[in-house]
Each structure stands twice: as C-alpha cells, then as structure tokens.
Amino acid sequence: MPAVVVLLAVLAVFALGYRYYSAYLAKRVYALDPAFVTPAHRYSDGVDFVPTNKHIVFAHHFISVAGAAPIVGPAIAVFWGWGPALLWVVLGTVFASGAHDFGSIVVSVRHKGRSIGTLARDVIGKRARILFLLIIFFLVTMVNAVFAVVIAGLFINTPEAVLSVLITIPLAIGVGQVVYRRRTAALLPSIAALVIVYACIPLGAQFPITVDPLAQLIGVEPLTVWIVLIFTYTFCPPRLPVWLLLQPRDYINQQQMVLALAVIILGVVVGMDTIAAPLVNDVPADSPSWFPLLFITIACGAVSGFHSLVSSGTTAKQLDKETDARYVGYLSSLGEGTLALCSILACTAGVVVLAADPAAQWQVLYADWGSAQGGAAGKFTEGVANFAGHLGVPVSVGLVFATVVVVSFAATSLDTAVRLQRYIIQEISEIVGFKPLARNITLATLIAVVIPIGLAMVPGDFALGTLWLLFGTTNQLTAGLALAVIAVWVTKNGRNPIAILIPLVFLVIMTSWALVIQLIGFATSADPLQAFLLAPLDAVIFALAVWMVVEAALALRRAWALRTAPAAGRGAEAGAAESAADGEEQ
C-alpha cells in the first residue's frame, strides 16, 4: 500500500470530522454560548486564569497533550499490523477523542474552570471526586515516569539534540516576556525562536552534550543522571505563571509541530514510499492479543484521559470565549491523530526506506513483542529522518531534527503533567484535611516530582514495557470516566448523550478487560516488582474504576429520570440538583 494514499485518505476523514461532527457536538450536544463569561475573565489572576487568544490556547493544549505518547503508542501497536492500528487512530480520534477533549473543556468552563476530579463531585457525587482524584494521581505519576525515560533515552542516543532542546527554555521565557509585557502577537517571536533552535543543530553536532563523565564519576548509569536532571528541571515550571514559560514554549512547539508534520507529509508525498509492514501481522504465538491491548497501547493518538486533565486543569482556565472550545479541543484531537498517523507511517514505511528488502527488514525490527516495545521512539525518529532525506536533508541532520521534535513535545507534556499533579496533590490534601500541604505549592510540587523518579529509575525495560501498558490502561480508564462526567452533565441539561455514551461504554469494557488480563499476568509473574508492586496497584486501580463506574451509572440514571419526569416534579428536582452542584454555572 502506498503510504501517500493512506495519508491523504485519513486527512480527508479528519477534515470531514471537524467540518461536520464537531459542529454537531458544538450545537446539539454542548450548546456553546458565545456570550457566556468564561472563568478566565471571571477569575482572572494573571497566573492560572488568563484570558488568552484561541490560537495560543490551541498551541498550549495541542502541545501539552501531543507528547511522546501518540508517537510511542502507534510505534508499538503496528506490531499487530498497520490496519488495526490505523483504524483505531481514525475512529478513536473522530468519535472519541474529539468529543472527550471538547467536552472536558466545556464542562470545566461551565463549572468555574475546575479540574475533572472536582467536576466528578459536582456532576456525579461527592464520593466520585476522591475516587477520580486517586485514579488520576496514579495516571499522572506513570505519565511523568514514562515521559522522563523517553526523554532520557533520546538524549543518550542522540546527544547532538540536547543543545537545541535546552536553548528552547530561555528562548521561551524571552518570547513570554515580549508577548505578555508588550501585548504583541506571539507568531513572529515564536518563529524567530524556532529558527534559533534549529540553527543550534549544527552547533550541537560539533558539541554534543553527554553526562557520561558525571555518571562514571558517581558510579551510576547515564540514564539515571538524565532522569534526575530532568526531574530537577520539572520542579521549576509548575511554580511559574503560565504566561512566563508554559504558554510561550507551547507556541514555539506548535510552530515546530507544524514544521515536523509538513516535513513528514512532504517526505511521504515526494518519496512515494510503500508501507512494508503487513496489514494484519502474523505475530508469534506467545504474543499478547491485540484485542483488547491495542486499545490501551494506542491511547494518546486515539483517545486519552490525560487530555481531560489538561482540558480542565489548564486549558479551561485560559479560554477567552466558550465557542473557542471547539477549535481548541476538537482540532487538537485531530492534530494528535495526525501525529499518530505520521508515527504509523514512519514505523511501517520510513524506518525501512534504506533497506534492500524493506518487508524483511521490518520483520526483523518487529520480530516479537519485546522488539516492538524496545526503542519505539527511536524507530519513529529514524523514519522521520528518512522522510526528510527525500527532501534533500542529510539523514544525520534529519535524525537530530526528529529527536528535538519528540523531546520538545515530551518535555512540554511533562511540564504540564507535573503542574497538574501539583493541583491533584493539593486537592487530595484539602479533602483529607491536611491544610499545610494543600496550601504549599513548593511542597506539593516536590512530591509530584519525587514519586515518579522511583518508577523511572527501575532498570531494564520496565518504564517503556510493563509500566507502559498499565499507564495505557489507566489512561483509557480515565478517558472513560471523564466521558461519564460529560455524559451526566449533557443529560442533566436535557441534551442527547448518545455521542458520549458510545465511546464511554467501549472504553470502560476494553480497559476493564485489559486490567483483569494485566492483573493475572502481574500476580503470576516471577518478577517480584510485578507481583508485589504492580499487581496490587492494578487491583487498586480496578477496584476504584468499578466503584466509579457504579457511581456514574447511578448518576446517569438519576439524570435521565429527572429529564423524563413530569414537568412539575422536574422543576422541583432540578432546583435541588442545582443546589447540590455547588455553584454550577448554566
């Protein structure tokens, strides 16, 4: 199959999805109101609540959710064949992720910019809040650990890219100062910053940055040093105003994303490469089944619960107009789906461009499940470098370019995830009555950084192997639970929730099934780490999920009963429901 045919067909489906399906969601399901006063205006504080141009909010949201996951997940999942992976990316993006991200922003905006955990209390019930927050806590901990390992591994494999990545930080702060202090447009400053970033690629090739001497001096692996340095850095951004580093770096990375997608798409068109992987792969007998594991291996890039955390944690606090939610939420989902599509093409066509027998070489790269998981991000960067080669870019330069892209996205997601984890820790502390932690940003951020370090430092392929699947399962479970919150809210407001209920039921079934499979595998494993750490963690997450699903089902039934009740009774019950919602804004 020519890669360009797949590329153009999927992009056409995405365009139709935005034109028609997102318009249906905006008008019939979420009923957007251009006159609604958003939390960014109502609670403007210059730190978290900042009314922001929709293009900048889009850049923040898109880059925050489009980290390493939509690259790594598809790069692993093509092990089962490019057909199932592509089908899930397309259907998941259009009908699940778009509705999920879009809806999470809208519901948060309508509830004072509150997080999805607090929204669970407002929409479903009091118990739902703590249940959801605990699940989210586990999810974000795993997100931070996995992304840190991805970044550290790419730094080790391509030290020439480190300089370009590091220079982005002071450049972003400079762009933030220019845009915020002088109230100028961000486009030109961010493009100028990106030019400087790429100008540093040749310099990085001359002066590659490694931590090998330091690692040898203290007697540890370079991966360990990089992980510590990465988490030391991530302690700082969550304590800064969003306009100072988070927003401007997101905007720089948006320009980088546009350029990267352009390079990949043009490379596919010019190179006319053929997909070397089989449509459905005849995997070894001892391989895990693609059903249901495909649907958790590809999370970001199809639908991801992490997006609801970004949507309600930071994005909803910056939305200038409620109608911007369609552009920011749904279009970001399509952008991430496009990135997942590019990952599939890079790992099924681009990665074997230079091979004498592409099909045979692909089978070597994906010989078994372990080889599929190993170096997934590296397969993507090699594929992108080969696509860039069709445009006259030397493969060595293309490899550094692709690495800078992946690390920049992963680092931005990591920044956002640590900020979100700080919010979650403070919310949980508030609930249990531990006021000192609830009010101490520094201590909450420290906890958000320290806990995932332990998971990231486990030797071997733990983070990108075993932990990745548990992360994917928890991620999809969170997406299902966020959809439950959205479905109850939509039903309470007298609108048809079927567009939300279909992906909700599918995700709950797939993730519950996967959690049971993983629990059996962890509990029977000879590895003590799996048997005594991951098995109990899996069991706790599964128990919390079942409880949360029951709470959501009961809330949905109550909402439906209220909707279908006689008019007189409905008015009285609706008034009580509004009082219980703790300040929901209609």
Side-chain angles (χ1 to χ4, degrees), residues 463-548:
L464 296 183
T466 305
L467 190 61
W468 178 268
L469 288 180
L470 186 56
F471 150 68
T473 308
T474 310
N475 196 9
Q476 299 300 68
L477 173 63
T478 305
L481 299 179
L483 286 169
V485 172
I486 297 168
V488 173
W489 180 80
V490 168
T491 304
K492 281 183 175 182
N493 285 277
R495 296 187 287 273
N496 191 344
I498 191 66
I500 313 301
L501 290 177
I502 292 175
L504 161 61
V505 172
F506 179 79
L507 285 175
V508 168
I509 292 174
M510 290 299 107
T511 53
S512 299
W513 187 358
L515 277 168
V516 171
I517 291 175
Q518 290 174 343
L519 179 58
I520 295 172
F522 293 153
T524 58
S525 173
D527 183 355
L529 193 62
Q530 294 191 28
F532 298 108
L533 174 61
L534 295 185
L537 180 59
D538 189 298
V540 169
I541 293 172
F542 182 70
L544 292 172
V546 171
W547 193 351
M548 183 69 186

Side-chain angles (χ1 to χ4, degrees), residues 119 131 240 283 373 480 483 518 576-577:
L119 292 176
L131 293 172
L240 300 175
V283 302
Q373 293 175 296
L483 286 169
Q518 290 174 343

Side-chain angles (χ1 to χ4, degrees), residues 392-409:
V393 178
V395 173
S396 59
V397 175
L399 185 62
V400 176
F401 163 75
T403 301
V404 171
V405 169
V406 176
V407 172
S408 297
F409 298 165

